[in-house]
C-alpha cells in the first residue's frame, strides 16, 4: 500500500519539480553557469510572494510558485536568474553604509539590464518605456556600469522617480540580505563562496568559447576585476625615493677579499663590507580619503587595510617612514600623522568617517603644499587619493607624484593627465577589511 503524503509534502514536491524545470531551462542557454545555477538550496517560505536568497538558500512560496509557473513560466526563468546574478555580483554583501532602499533598486536595475540585454528566448520580454529610458542612459556611460554607479545617480532622482523605478524593477525579495554593516561569519562564508563560483563560471565561459557575447554581458560587472590586474603593492612602490639605509650591501661587497684577509691576518678582514646601501623604498607619503556621502566607510577601511599590509613589509618602507592620513570632503576634516605600523593599526581599529559633504580635491593639495613649504614634509614620495571621482580636480600639476584610487567606475576624461589612476572593486575592498588579503586592483 502506497504511503500517503500530506498537502504540504505534495506542494513541496511540486515546487521542487518547478524549480528543477526552471533551472534546466536556464542551463540549456547558459551551460557555463552550471555551478552557479546549482549552488542555492531550495527552501520553502510562504511568508514571501516571490523568490529570495541569502547566498545559501533560494527561498520560495509554494502557492505563488505554482501560480507564476502556470501563468508565465518565462518570468520564472528571469526571476531565478535574477537571484543568481545578485549572488554573482556580490550585491547581498556590499550595501555597507549606503541607503538600503536605494541600494536595492540599483542592484535590481543592473541585474535586469543584464538579463534584458541577453538574446535568449527563455528570458525575452517586451521592454517598457521606463526600461528603455533607463537603459538608454546606462548605454551612454563610457565605462562599465555597476550597481554602485547607478546608486550614486539615484541621489539626484525625485521621490516620484524612485518609486517608479522601484515598481518597475522589483523582481525578487531582498528580505534575507544581511542588514548589519559588519557581516556575520555565515554571510562572510557565503560571500567567499560566490566569489569563487563567479570566477569558476567565467573561466568555464572562456574555456567553452560559446555564447560568448551573451555570457560576457553577465560578467561585465566582474570582468574588470580580472583584466589588467596589478597589485597595489607594485603600484604604491612608484612613490619610492632613493635613499641610504644602514644595511650591508651584498652587491658592493666582494666576499673573496673578505675571506682572504681573514685567512691571512686571522681576525682582521682585508676589506670591511659597506654598512649602508642605496635602496628604493617609501619614506614619506600622504593618503587622502574622500569622505563624501558616496564613499562608504567599509570601503575606506578596506583600502587603508591594504595600505597597512604594504607598510608592514620591511622591503617596501624605511624604518623611519612618515605617513599622513587626511580626511577631506570639500575641506580638510582630519590629519593623522603615522610614524609606524603599530600606530596605523590603532587608527584602523578606531577609524570613523568625518565629513560627508561635496567633494573638492583642491584643499588637500593646498594643505600638502603648505606642509612642504613649512618643511613638515621633507621627502614626500607622493600623494594617494581614495575617492569616487566625483569632485573638482586641481588644474596645476603638483611637484610630487599623485595617484587617484577610485572606488568603482569613474569618468577618465575628467581626471588630469598628470595623475596616475587605479580602480578598485567594492567586493574585494570588503575582503580586505575582513582578512587584509587582496590583489584585485587594476591600473588605468
Amino acid at each position: 500500500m502506497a504511503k500517503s503524503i500530506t498537502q504540504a509534502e505534495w506542494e513541496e514536491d511540486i515546487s521542487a519539480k518547478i524549480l528543477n524545470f526552471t533551472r534546466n531551462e536556464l542551463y540549456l542557454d547558459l551551460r557555463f553557469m552550471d555551478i552557479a545555477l546549482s549552488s542555492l538550496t531550495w527552501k520553502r517560505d510562504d511568508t514571501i510572494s516571490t523568490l529570495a536568497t541569502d547566498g545559501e538558500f533560494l527561498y520560495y512560496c509554494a502557492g505563488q510558485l505554482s501560480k507564476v509557473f502556470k501563468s508565465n513560466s518565462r518570468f520564472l526563468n528571469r526571476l531565478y536568474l535574477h537571484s543568481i546574478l545578485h549572488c554573482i555580483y556580490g550585491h547581498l554583501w556590499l550595501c555597507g553604509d549606503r541607503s538600503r532602499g536605494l541600494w536595492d533598486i540599483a542592484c535590481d536595475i543592473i541585474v535586469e539590464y543584464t538579463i534584458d540585454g541577453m538574446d535568449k528566448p527563455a528570458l525575452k520580454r517586451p521592454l517598457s518605456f521606463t526600461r528603455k529610458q533607463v537603459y538608454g542612459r546606462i548605454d551612454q556611460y563610457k565605462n562599465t556600469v555597476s550597481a554602485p554607479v547607478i546608486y550614486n545617480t539615484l541621489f539626484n532622482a525625485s521621490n516620484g522617480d524612485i518609486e517608479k523605478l522601484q515598481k518597475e524593477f522589483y523582481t525578487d525579495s531582498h528580505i534575507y540580505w544581511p542588514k548589519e554593516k559588519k557581516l556575520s561569519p555565515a554571510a562572510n562564508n557565503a560571500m567567499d563562496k560566490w566569489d569563487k563560483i563567479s570566477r569558476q563560471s567565467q573561466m568555464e565561459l572562456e574555456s567553452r568559447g560559446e555564447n560568448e557575447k551573451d555570457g560576457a554581458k553577465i560578467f561585465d560587472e566582474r570582468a574588470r576585476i580580472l583584466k589588467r590586474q596589478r597589485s597595489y603593492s607594485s603600484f604604491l612602490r612608484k612613490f619610492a625615493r632613493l635613499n641610504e639605509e644602514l644595511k650591508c650591501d651584498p652587491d658592493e661587497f666582494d666576499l673573496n677579499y673578505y675571506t682572504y684577509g681573514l685567512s691571512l691576518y686571522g681576525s682582521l678582514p682585508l676589506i670591511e663590507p659597506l654598512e649602508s646601501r642605496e635602496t628604493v623604498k617609501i619614506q614619506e607619503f600622504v593618503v587622502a580619503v574622500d569622505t563624501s556621502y558616496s564613499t562608504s566607510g567599509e570601503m575606506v577601511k578596506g583600502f587603508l587595510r591594504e595600505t597597512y599590509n604594504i607598510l608592514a613589509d620591511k622591503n617596501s618602507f624605511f624604518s623611519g617612514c612618515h605617513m599622513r592620513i587626511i580626511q577631506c570632503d570639500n575641506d580638510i576634516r582630519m590629519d593623522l600623522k603615522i610614524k609606524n605600523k603599530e600606530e596605523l593599526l590603532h587608527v584602523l581599529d578606531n577609524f570613523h568617517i568625518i565629513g560627508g559633504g561635496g567633494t573638492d580635491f583642491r584643499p588637500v593639495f593646498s594643505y600638502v603644499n603648505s606642509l612642504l613649504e613649512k618643511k613638515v614634509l621633507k621627502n614626500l614620495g607622493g600623494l594617494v587619493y581614495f575617492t569616487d571621482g566625483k569632485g573638482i580636480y586641481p588644474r596645476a600639476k603638483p611637484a610630487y607624484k599623485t595617484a587617484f584610487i577610485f572606488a568603482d567606475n569613474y569618468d577618465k576624461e575628467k581626471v588630469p593627465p598628470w595623475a596616475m589612476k587605479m580602480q578598485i572593486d567594492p567586493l574585494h575592498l570588503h575582503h580586505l577589511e575582513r582578512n587584509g588579503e587582496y590583489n584585485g586592483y587594476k591600473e588605468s
Side-chain angles (χ1 to χ4, degrees), residues 20 24 69 73 84 86 109 111 128 132 164 203 233 269 325 351 403 435:
N20 189 61
N24 290 340
F69 181 70
S73 62
I84 293 292
H86 278 317
I109 289 175
V111 167
S128 66
K132 289 180 179 179
K164 182 169 66 174
M203 290 172 61
S233 176
I325 300 177
F351 187 82
N435 55 37

Side-chain angles (χ1 to χ4, degrees), residues 366-398:
S366 298
Y367 180 69
V368 171
N369 290 338
S370 69
L371 294 178
L372 288 170
E373 292 174 1
K374 296 174 184 177
K375 306 297 183 181
V376 176
L377 294 173
K378 300 178 181 180
N379 297 288
L380 180 60
L383 167 66
V384 176
Y385 210 130
F386 180 73
T387 176
D388 63 354
K390 296 177 175 59
I392 305 174
Y393 293 90
R395 294 184 179 180
K397 178 182 178 181

Side-chain angles (χ1 to χ4, degrees), residues 73 148 242 244 280 340 373 430:
S73 62
L242 188 66
E244 278 197 352
V280 179
N340 54 58
E373 292 174 1
H430 282 262

Side-chain angles (χ1 to χ4, degrees), residues 286-290 303 324-327 364 383-387:
V286 173
V287 176
V289 175
D290 173 9
F303 170 71
R324 301 188 90 97
I325 300 177
I326 300 174
Q327 291 196 46
V364 167
L383 167 66
V384 176
Y385 210 130
F386 180 73
T387 176

Side-chain angles (χ1 to χ4, degrees), residues 156-190:
N156 300 320
S158 65
N159 290 335
D161 288 338
I162 293 296
E163 184 178 353
K164 182 169 66 174
L165 291 172
Q166 197 275 337
K167 290 181 179 179
E168 175 64 37
F169 290 97
Y170 176 81
T171 306
D172 64 344
S173 172
H174 300 171
I175 189 174
Y176 288 105
W177 290 19
K179 297 177 178 61
E180 301 80 13
K181 294 179 182 178
K182 186 174 181 59
L183 298 180
S184 66
N188 281 327
N189 291 336

